[in-house]
Amino acid sequence: MKILITGGCGYIGSHTAVELLNANYEVVIIDNFSNSKRDVLDKIKVITGKNFSFYEGDVCDKEILRQIFSENKIDGVIHFAGFKAVGESVSKPLMYYRNNLDSTLSLLEVMNEMNCKKLVFSSSATVYGDCHETRFVETIKKGTPSNPYGKTKTMIEDILEDLYHADPTWSITMLRYFNPVGSHSSGLIGDDPSGIPNNLMPYILRVAVGQLECLTIFGNDYDTPDGTCIRDYIHVVDLAQGHIKALEQLLNNEPKIRIYNLGSGQGVSVTEIVTTFEKVNNLKLNYKYGARRNGDLPAICADPTLALKELGWKTTKTLEDMCRDSYNFIIKNSQNKN
Ligand code: NAD
Ligand code: UDP
């Protein structure tokens, strides 16, 4: 089976490419390196010992998509390509709406033309918006995300629902990720944002290797056991394996539209992640408690029951694994840069 991965050089896409190749799928990647580096291609080959096809280009460009579908018999698509920085989406909304919506529409139109109607889409827990539940189950009504990035995910989910209702020969699975962290155990691929990171784990890593001075924990006066926010962190390799399960279901069953939460179901506080990171990596992090960050909800956690029931998927990696593997990646990556 040949699978097209859009955005396959990025953080989650590269880990998914590795898992697909390990599971003996043929892989075709399209990426324009807007948020990734070319050397990821070689790293995927080193990790898997396998080859795959690569097209450098923009998923908004229907011509290159037509070329890919003409040159390859694509059985299914996993669509990761898109911009994902919440803060940047607030300052550059048009860029986010253009890239995330346009790439998806172009992809869907060309898939339709080429009669390839099997799609796995990277959605996000952000679509639950500011809903006041602390444990999110797929049947909760979507909320309103507070930023343009989140809104693009909600809009794309709506587009996919409309498409399926108009043409039920489509098979669509929307995966709502919780907080992906960690790296492949080789330390070769991982999350490597440019500039000052916004997300917790990339920030911790920069402090751990001395590139940033101090982590500020945003708020310790929440109504949670230790006062800091709770999130559901998921190891990226578990997440990538969730895609393989979703794809297998999609390729082997009747067309349907499906939604699954991909999370561990375990809430972890910011303080817990910091202390676990210190313990497993045997180091001290410089951190302080600061003011709450605007828009943060106190506690968010997945209910992953449906993914277990229908996909036979659940997370296997621990918080210790996430902290160890993340650090291993930054150590190898900062050594490479020196
Ligand atoms: P990433 O930025 O590391 O990867 C995205 C990849 O897509 C990059 O390699 C980038 O160069 C490429 N890309 C972007 N726009 C493109 C375009 N128009 N044409 C071709 N390539 C393009 O992001 P990631 O963390 O791997 O996330 C993958 C997907 O998962 C995204 O859609 C993101 O919104 C979603 N998601 C991520 C998280 C997270 O915390 N990382 C959480 C929920 C959902
Ligand atoms: N956080 C923090 N300091 C930072 C970055 C994040 O305390 O420098 C907290 C943030 O308030 C949230 C958690 O870490 O409670 C996860 O934040 P992240 O931005 O990684 O993911 P989110 O769940 O907000 O999308």
Side-chain angles (χ1 to χ4, degrees):
M1 289 278 179
K2 200 179 254 197
I3 307 303
L4 173 63
I5 310 180
T6 75
C9 295
Y11 174 44
I12 305 170
S14 58
H15 285 83
T16 303
V18 165
E19 296 303 318
L20 280 173
L21 289 164
N22 284 343
N24 293 322
Y25 285 92
E26 288 181 80
V27 166
V28 179
I29 291 177
I30 175 171
D31 204 300
N32 63 0
F33 300 119
S34 52
N35 195 37
S36 52
K37 301 196 182 91
R38 193 175 295 274
D39 64 3
V40 168
L41 295 168
D42 288 333
K43 291 175 174 177
I44 297 171
K45 286 180 192 159
V46 169
I47 293 170
T48 60
K50 293 194 176 158
N51 221 329
F52 55 89
S53 306
F54 174 69
Y55 292 80
E56 181 170 352
D58 191 325
V59 183
C60 302
D61 173 5
K62 290 211 243 174
E63 279 317 306
I64 191 166
L65 293 176
R66 288 192 183 104
Q67 184 193 344
I68 293 172
F69 279 90
S70 317
E71 292 176 1
N72 302 275
K73 197 201 150 295
I74 302 291
D75 295 292
V77 178
I78 309 183
H79 179 36
F80 294 104
F83 294 149
K84 64 165 180 178
V86 170
E88 188 182 50
S89 80
V90 175
S91 55
K92 298 178 181 165
L94 296 183
M95 189 173 107
Y96 271 68
Y97 286 118
R98 170 62 68 193
N99 191 49
N100 292 5
L101 298 180
D102 211 4
S103 60
T104 306
L105 290 171
S106 297
L107 178 67
L108 294 172
E109 284 170 0
V110 172
M111 288 175 72
N112 215 13
E113 271 172 43
M114 301 294 177
N115 202 27
C116 171
K117 297 186 178 177
K118 292 180 192 293
L119 177 80
V120 176
F121 171 63
S122 295
S123 190
S124 165
T126 190
V127 301
Y128 292 109
D130 57 358
C131 104
H132 293 292
E133 306 284 335
T134 50
R135 211 170 170 77
F136 293 167
V137 64
E138 292 86 345
T139 45
I140 293 178
K141 203 171 171 303
K142 289 199 296 258
T144 307
S146 59
N147 56 81
Y149 162 71
K151 288 179 188 164
T152 67
K153 293 294 177 195
T154 307
M155 287 176 186
I156 294 169
E157 284 204 1
D158 289 345
I159 290 169
L160 294 174
E161 298 267 4
D162 289 344
L163 176 62
Y164 175 76
H165 288 120
D167 178 359
T169 63
W170 275 85
S171 252
I172 298 171
T173 300
M174 307 190 271
L175 299 176
R176 293 178 177 165
Y177 314 155
F178 281 69
N179 288 53
V181 294
S183 299
H184 187 264
S185 57
S186 63
L188 287 175
I189 52 175
D191 194 9
D192 190 14
S194 48
I196 296 179
N198 291 307
N199 294 113
L200 179 62
M201 184 58 88
Y203 205 104
I204 289 177
L205 295 178
R206 297 285 175 90
V207 174
V209 295
Q211 290 172 2
L212 288 172
E213 206 177 312
C214 180
L215 169 75
T216 301
I217 295 181
F218 298 140
N220 61 346
D221 56 352
Y222 285 98
D223 185 15
T224 59
D226 66 20
T228 65
C229 286
I230 289 177
R231 294 288 179 272
D232 183 333
Y233 296 92
I234 170 170
H235 195 294
V236 67
V237 172
D238 277 332
L239 184 60
Q241 286 167 355
H243 289 74
I244 312 299
K245 294 285 189 188
L247 193 66
E248 278 166 6
Q249 182 202 51
L250 193 81
L251 295 172
N252 296 318
N253 286 286
E254 291 301 299
K256 202 172 167 187
I257 188 156
R258 301 175 173 93
I259 303 177
Y260 297 107
N261 286 336
L262 295 185
S264 71
Q266 307 284 327
V268 171
S269 76
V270 182
T271 302
E272 261 177 284
I273 212 168
V274 166
T275 51
T276 307
F277 189 92
E278 291 185 320
K279 192 172 98 215
V280 300
N281 296 314
N282 197 22
L283 51 77
K284 281 276 160 224
L285 273 180
N286 190 19
Y287 69 91
K288 62 177 188 214
Y289 292 103
R292 292 181 177 194
R293 183 172 69 177
N294 266 346
D296 273 345
L297 294 175
I300 296 174
C301 193
D303 181 336
T305 312
L306 192 65
L308 177 61
K309 185 167 164 243
E310 295 190 1
L311 299 177
W313 174 90
K314 64 177 176 156
T315 58
T316 58
K317 297 202 179 261
T318 62
L319 185 62
E320 281 78 7
D321 296 328
M322 299 179 212
C323 292
R324 192 180 303 109
D325 292 343
S326 297
Y327 188 56
N328 181 38
F329 169 70
I330 193 83
I331 290 292
K332 294 220 163 104
N333 202 48
S334 31
Q335 276 165 358
N336 289 345
K337 279 180 187 158
N338 291 335

